[in-house]
Amino acid sequence: MNGIFAVYKPSGVSSASFLQDVQDVFTKSSVFEPHLEAAKNAVRFNLGTNKRMSKEKIEKKANQLKVKIGHGGTLDPLASGVLVVGVGSGTKKLSHYLLECEKTYEAKALFGISTTTGDSEGEIITQNAIDHITKEAINETAKKFIGDLKQTPPIFSSLKVNGKPLYEYAREGIPLPTAIKVREVKVKDFKIFEEDSLRTDHEFKKLESELDENGVPKEHGLANNPTLNDSPLYFSTQYLEEAQKNNLPTEVGNPRQLKENESLPEKLPLVHFIADVSSGTYIRSLISDFGRALESSAYMVELIRKKQSEWELGKNVFTIEDFTTRDEKVWGPVLEKVLELGGDINVAKAFEEATAKLKAKEVSDSVEVETTEADGSDVSKKRPISEVE
């Protein structure tokens, strides 16, 4: 039971918390019991020569063991979709998914507001004009980001500076010891769902301003924070080369301000896209830059990781319910098959085959038993051996 598989992470839970739930299910299951017992015996053997440790302490140490597990790239709490997971020695193979693979994301964002986190879970930084944005401008702007691209990661991310995650600096209000490093990423494709562009009949509520202790909107104090909304705006190398040849614009103006006494509508216009990107690409940063490229602002309201390397939703990705509601005799063999053979296994089909195989075994293991019906007639029925006294 060592290898790689993928599981669907729902929105509203952190990757770490969700992974712990998966680990708990595996640790308590009979599927992993022999492997876990072997690991416990190894601990007992290795610590048994330590004269300073009592048998009780050694046993406690052994019983604290859980199934070894790790993930190949975190998803924000707001995001859902493919979470690649390594089990046992499979955790050593996760570096490929962290550093080298392509990913496909489907995202939705609203125009007119920028936030501290780049998504709907942050606080408002700025509110900007949106009336000038057109569907044509959205389509043309998407082309500017396709190719080799420089990108500044958001401060609310797990990226570390001097060993400390950026989000901890942000939450504690501590100045960064050094500027966030710009990274090189690749946007292989950026497809806009034109039928949804600028829609306002959607389910997403507009973020509302929060007031500080003086009753002043917080964005008034956040707008000038140099770590939030002032990173350089980059277009792809390929677009810049095309722009030079065809005399296309390479710069845009600052985000347009709302007119005096003007406020944003209750329903902000939507942009909906799907993008194929390299490892290390932050969709929140891409969305923020996209809004700025339209001389406005934007924040993410929905994100789904549809695919990561060979793992794809609807094909070879488990759900946690597969492990919590299905019989272990069904999900155990399917998981083992995926860990052995990888993403070539269609999970839904494998579950059908495993379920049918289990039912067939139950039938073959059953015996004919004479029973008496309510009308007094004797009939012969098959029952599982375990139910026969």
Side-chain angles (χ1 to χ4, degrees):
M1 299 298 289
N2 300 286
I4 302 287
F5 73 99
V7 62
Y8 173 83
K9 185 196 86 71
S11 177
V13 60
S14 70
S15 295
S17 176
F18 178 74
L19 196 66
Q20 186 175 330
D21 291 341
V22 176
Q23 183 184 45
D24 288 343
V25 172
F26 286 179
T27 300
K28 295 174 183 176
S29 72
S30 61
V31 173
F32 282 89
E33 187 175 0
H35 309 277
L36 200 57
E37 190 58 37
K40 290 178 180 179
N41 287 335
V43 169
R44 293 180 183 112
F45 177 80
N46 292 332
L47 296 181
T49 58
N50 189 338
K51 296 180 180 180
R52 288 181 291 182
M53 290 195 72
S54 64
K55 289 184 178 180
E56 290 76 15
K57 284 186 177 181
I58 293 174
E59 194 61 25
K60 183 179 179 181
K61 197 83 172 176
N63 289 328
Q64 287 175 341
L65 279 183
K66 293 185 176 182
V67 172
K68 187 179 180 181
I69 203 169
H71 67 72
T74 188
L75 279 169
D76 293 333
L78 176 66
S80 63
V82 177
L83 187 69
V84 175
V85 180
V87 183
S89 62
T91 55
K92 297 177 182 178
K93 302 176 182 178
L94 291 174
S95 59
H96 163 72
Y97 299 97
L98 290 165
L99 303 172
E100 303 170 13
C101 69
E102 289 187 357
K103 304 172 186 178
T104 299
Y105 290 97
E106 183 176 350
K108 293 179 181 178
L110 300 182
F111 289 118
I113 288 176
S114 66
T115 73
T116 51
T117 58
D119 60 26
S120 56
E121 297 189 330
E123 296 175 345
I124 294 174
I125 305 173
T126 62
Q127 299 191 47
N128 301 102
I130 54 176
D131 293 343
H132 62 285
I133 302 174
T134 65
K135 289 186 176 182
E136 292 75 19
I138 290 173
N139 291 335
E140 289 303 312
T141 299
K143 298 174 184 176
K144 299 178 181 180
F145 293 94
I146 299 175
D148 299 307
L149 187 70
K150 290 182 179 179
Q151 189 182 71
T152 304
I155 190 168
F156 277 89
S157 66
S158 57
L159 194 67
K160 292 183 178 180
V161 173
N162 291 355
K164 185 172 183 174
L166 284 175
Y167 64 79
E168 290 189 12
Y169 288 99
R171 288 171 181 169
E172 295 170 16
I174 302 173
L176 294 177
T178 182
I180 301 174
K181 289 184 179 180
V182 174
R183 55 175 55 193
E184 302 277 349
V185 299
K186 189 177 185 68
V187 178
K188 189 175 180 181
D189 196 16
F190 194 156
K191 178 187 175 184
I192 301 291
F193 291 94
E194 294 187 40
E195 65 274 16
D196 285 341
S197 288
L198 301 180
R199 271 185 54 203
T200 55
D201 58 335
H202 51 72
E203 71 272 27
F204 305 107
K205 292 183 179 180
K206 180 184 71 173
L207 278 182
E208 297 295 340
S209 296
E210 293 186 16
L211 303 179
D212 62 18
E213 61 273 11
N214 299 316
V216 178
K218 284 186 176 181
E219 59 258 35
H220 291 186
L222 292 169
N224 296 320
N225 191 323
T227 62
L228 297 174
N229 215 30
D230 71 332
S231 59
L233 177 60
Y234 298 103
F235 295 144
S236 73
T237 302
Q238 286 78 357
Y239 173 76
L240 293 176
E241 290 174 352
E242 182 186 352
Q244 188 174 16
K245 292 177 183 178
N246 300 309
N247 198 28
L248 299 174
T250 59
E251 296 183 1
V252 298
N254 293 325
R256 301 187 189 187
Q257 303 302 308
L258 293 170
K259 297 175 183 177
E260 189 175 353
N261 298 323
E262 182 185 8
S263 59
L264 291 170
E266 282 304 307
K267 283 289 188 176
L268 296 177
L270 179 82
V271 62
H272 180 193
F273 66 86
I274 189 164
D276 297 329
V277 301
S278 65
S279 287
T281 305
Y282 283 93
I283 302 299
R284 286 179 289 145
S285 292
L286 184 61
I287 286 171
S288 176
D289 289 347
F290 191 81
R292 292 163 61 198
L294 284 162
E295 297 185 357
S296 184
S297 52
Y299 69 99
M300 187 176 76
V301 291
E302 183 177 280
L303 181 66
I304 305 170
R305 186 189 283 164
K306 307 279 286 186
K307 186 178 180 181
Q308 183 171 356
S309 193
E310 71 271 34
W311 306 99
E312 185 175 358
L313 291 181
K315 179 183 176 184
N316 49 20
V317 178
F318 292 88
T319 67
I320 194 168
E321 287 77 21
D322 288 330
F323 306 126
T324 58
T325 62
R326 294 183 186 271
D327 193 318
E328 289 184 0
K329 295 176 182 177
V330 172
W331 70 254
V334 174
L335 178 60
E336 186 175 7
K337 194 174 184 181
V338 171
L339 291 177
E340 180 186 357
L341 301 176
D344 291 335
I345 303 301
N346 184 300
V347 168
K349 186 177 179 181
F351 272 128
E352 289 179 5
E353 293 172 351
T355 301
K357 189 174 182 180
L358 180 62
K359 288 181 178 179
K361 186 176 185 305
E362 289 174 347
V363 170
S364 65
D365 288 347
S366 61
V367 293
E368 293 283 345
V369 178
E370 293 289 337
T371 60
T372 303
E373 296 288 278
D375 60 3
S377 59
D378 292 332
V379 294
S380 182
K381 289 186 177 181
K382 279 199 169 188
R383 292 174 60 187
I385 293 176
S386 60
E387 295 180 8
V388 180
E389 293 181 1

